[in-house]
Amino acid sequence: MRHPAAGCKIGTAGKQTKFWKKCTGIFAMLLFLYIGTVSAQAKAPEQVTKTVVVEQKIPFGTTYIDLQDVYKGYTKLVSEGVAGARKVEAQVIYEGDKPVKVLSITTTETGTPVPQVVQRGTKVLKSKRADGKIWSTSFAHPLKGAGWISADYYDYPGHNGVDFAAPYKTPVYAAAEGTVTLSGWYGEYGNCVILRHADGSETLYAHNSKLTVRNGQKVLQGEKIAEVGTTGNSTGNHLHMELRYQGKQLDPLVYIDQ
């Protein structure tokens, strides 16, 4: 027979054990949450407001002086430009090394930019073209892009034009509409064509193997006038081209369509 007192004690002890186990579990959870909160607060970086200053350059612009009697394509720098400067000051909130918020920005110009001054030609020679199209420049490429430049205007003293090396018999075309003032042998130029254009300018095409126009003939821009060769004072198949205007020699590469 079980003793009543003994049964009571055992039951009471079991309830207490369960109670304390439950309390211990809750306490442990609260302790864990507390420690986690304290740890998170300890790890959170401190916010600091800093002043950040940056110096910036202000790019300069360009002021053009248009020359109505100079062909489009010509440019000449008259004076250098000067960049301006500005100071940008910002109040920024940092957490550690990381910016998290910009509070304010102020900008102060510390130097005013000065534009560069450039002369540019605006004159365009109007030409009727053999194919009916319109060029954006006054003079078309005499080989329509064929060949390559073997000597430019400044290659050596006394070289008054540009040399386009190209295979023998490559077609040569009129750079602009004009009248043939010379089609024949022209000393060191060999077989040569000279065209006079509406505004008084002239283009010269030298060292040709064959000429396909005659004196006095009117030709359109892009019309065939000769074939590349190496006649006259020449050391290989090429076209020597010159551009003359108002008694001056001009660099053809500045004005012809590239």
Side-chain angles (χ1 to χ4, degrees):
M1 180 177 175
R2 294 177 60 189
H3 195 285
C8 182
K9 287 182 180 179
I10 292 172
T12 303
K15 290 180 180 179
Q16 290 177 344
T17 301
K18 290 180 180 180
F19 172 75
W20 285 111
K21 282 184 177 180
K22 186 176 181 181
C23 289
T24 302
I26 294 172
F27 176 76
M29 184 175 66
L30 292 174
L31 181 60
F32 173 78
L33 292 173
Y34 172 75
I35 293 173
T37 303
V38 172
S39 176
Q41 290 176 348
K43 290 181 180 178
E46 182 183 0
Q47 289 191 342
V48 178
T49 301
K50 297 181 181 180
T51 300
V52 179
V53 179
V54 177
E55 296 289 341
Q56 295 180 334
K57 285 187 176 181
I58 304 175
F60 58 81
T62 302
T63 298
Y64 290 102
I65 299 174
D66 291 338
L67 305 176
Q68 297 181 356
D69 201 36
V70 178
Y71 288 118
K72 183 180 178 181
Y74 170 87
T75 59
K76 181 181 179 181
L77 181 65
V78 177
S79 61
E80 298 279 358
V82 179
R86 67 167 66 94
K87 182 175 72 172
V88 180
E89 187 173 314
Q91 299 296 316
V92 182
I93 295 177
Y94 280 80
E95 286 184 356
D97 295 330
K98 182 181 178 181
V100 295
K101 185 177 182 181
V102 177
L103 298 178
S104 65
I105 296 177
T106 57
T107 302
T108 305
E109 186 174 299
T110 57
T112 303
V114 178
Q116 65 177 353
V117 179
V118 175
Q119 290 181 335
R120 65 180 178 185
T122 58
K123 177 181 172 63
V124 176
L125 175 62
K126 302 294 184 180
S127 290
K128 290 182 180 179
R129 280 188 43 143
D131 59 7
K133 295 181 181 179
I134 299 175
W135 288 87
S136 59
T137 55
S138 297
F139 300 94
H141 195 295
L143 299 183
K144 293 188 176 180
W148 63 95
I149 298 171
S150 56
D152 63 24
Y153 186 78
Y154 304 98
D155 196 62
Y156 55 87
H159 191 234
N160 296 321
V162 59
D163 292 345
F164 298 98
Y168 183 66
K169 288 189 174 297
T170 296
V172 178
Y173 305 96
E177 178 187 10
T179 301
V180 179
T181 59
L182 172 69
S183 179
W185 190 266
Y186 192 37
E188 293 186 347
Y189 289 105
N191 289 325
C192 182
V193 173
I194 297 177
L195 300 180
R196 186 171 182 83
H197 308 293
D199 63 353
S201 62
E202 292 182 328
T203 49
L204 176 148
Y205 314 79
H207 307 310
N208 302 287
S209 61
K210 180 181 178 181
L211 306 178
T212 60
V213 292
R214 64 185 183 278
N215 289 335
Q217 180 179 339
K218 294 185 182 300
V219 297
L220 301 177
Q221 187 180 57
E223 186 174 339
K224 182 179 175 181
I225 58 174
E227 294 177 0
V228 170
T230 183
T231 58
N233 185 12
S234 172
T235 57
N237 291 309
H238 74 282
L239 169 68
H240 172 84
M241 179 190 178
E242 294 182 8
L243 173 58
R244 304 166 178 175
Y245 181 58
Q246 294 184 340
K248 297 179 181 180
Q249 297 280 0
L250 304 179
D251 179 2
L253 289 180
V254 174
Y255 307 102
I256 67 172
D257 181 41
Q258 297 294 304

